[in-house]
Amino acid sequence: MDEEMRYTSYSRHDERFPFSTSGVFYCKKKNEDKLLILTTIICAIMVGGALMMWLYLTWSWGFAIFFTVYTVGFVLLYIYLVVGVILCGEEYTYKADSENFIITAPSGSARVVVIKYSEVENILYVPIYQGPKRHRGYKVIIKTKRAEYTYEYIMSFHNQIDLRKKSLKDTRELPFYIIEERSGLAKKPDVLTRAEKYDFDD
């Protein structure tokens, strides 16, 4: 795997030893939509309240400066909360060896998931969009003989990716490709549902 992966890998495979690698990737927050709505409402109320004060109270240069700083500050805080906290997603860690792919969810949420390559039946990639056109990531569905696991993988600013590049069309750059390779699905294009089957807007 090269250094341009859409996730962070902390180790590299050495042919002299058994396969082993680990890293992190980011998934969409489960309550992302609610957080966006709540943050937008709170910001609108605070800025709207300041505007009403400006309209009904005695105008002065001092108050005008205060209102400007107050409004700009809340707008910047809103942008930070949306872009830097809510849309950046949650960090998941993974460890992969020659037999298992282990995913650990953020603290306080789901359990540790151990995926045995020998039990994997299929992996589906469904594109996730931000708005009507911006390709943001994939809803990854891993089907095994025992269970089905779903992860809403997204590009995050933590990944240090140039978001202007529509570079997520190749799912082989995702950490889940390790599962494809180790389970043998990468050699079975008739079984694997790759993202290339979906249409993307340039």
Side-chain angles (χ1 to χ4, degrees), residues 177-195:
Y177 186 65
I178 296 173
I179 303 176
E180 295 181 30
E181 287 185 311
R182 294 286 155 178
S183 66
L185 284 177
K187 299 179 181 179
K188 301 176 182 179
D190 55 325
V191 175
L192 187 68
T193 305
R194 283 197 178 281

Side-chain angles (χ1 to χ4, degrees), residues 47-177:
V47 174
L51 179 60
M52 294 298 293
M53 291 175 61
W54 182 75
L55 292 174
Y56 289 98
L57 294 180
T58 303
W59 188 90
S60 67
W61 280 109
F63 185 77
I65 295 174
F66 168 78
F67 173 74
T68 301
V69 173
Y70 178 90
T71 303
V72 172
F74 256 95
V75 171
L76 292 177
L77 177 61
Y78 173 77
I79 294 174
Y80 167 75
L81 290 174
V82 170
V83 177
V85 178
I86 300 176
L87 293 182
C88 71
E90 296 180 309
E91 181 181 287
Y92 286 68
T93 61
Y94 71 88
K95 293 181 180 180
D97 56 32
S98 56
E99 296 182 356
N100 303 308
F101 190 90
I102 305 172
I103 300 174
T104 304
S107 59
S109 57
R111 63 202 180 285
V112 174
V113 172
V114 179
I115 299 173
K116 294 182 178 295
Y117 304 130
S118 59
E119 296 181 351
V120 176
E121 296 180 337
N122 199 357
I123 301 179
L124 288 78
Y125 296 92
V126 181
I128 296 175
Y129 290 94
Q130 186 74 39
K133 291 186 177 182
R134 180 172 174 265
H135 181 209
R136 188 181 177 195
Y138 296 102
K139 181 178 181 180
V140 182
I141 304 172
I142 304 171
K143 296 183 177 181
T144 71
K145 295 178 181 178
R146 298 175 182 269
E148 182 175 298
Y149 307 101
T150 301
Y151 298 93
E152 293 187 297
Y153 175 91
I154 59 171
M155 288 194 296
S156 170
F157 285 99
H158 293 304
N159 297 51
Q160 297 181 347
I161 304 171
D162 184 353
L163 299 182
R164 293 171 298 179
K165 296 179 181 179
K166 302 293 185 67
S167 53
L168 269 180
K169 296 182 182 180
D170 190 353
T171 57
R172 288 169 293 189
E173 295 186 359
L174 274 61
F176 306 102
Y177 186 65

Side-chain angles (χ1 to χ4, degrees), residues 26-45:
Y26 293 84
C27 288
K28 181 180 177 182
K29 293 180 183 291
K30 292 182 174 60
N31 56 348
E32 178 182 287
D33 295 337
K34 293 180 181 179
L35 287 173
L36 286 173
I37 293 173
L38 180 61
T39 303
T40 301
I41 291 175
I42 292 176
C43 185
I45 291 175

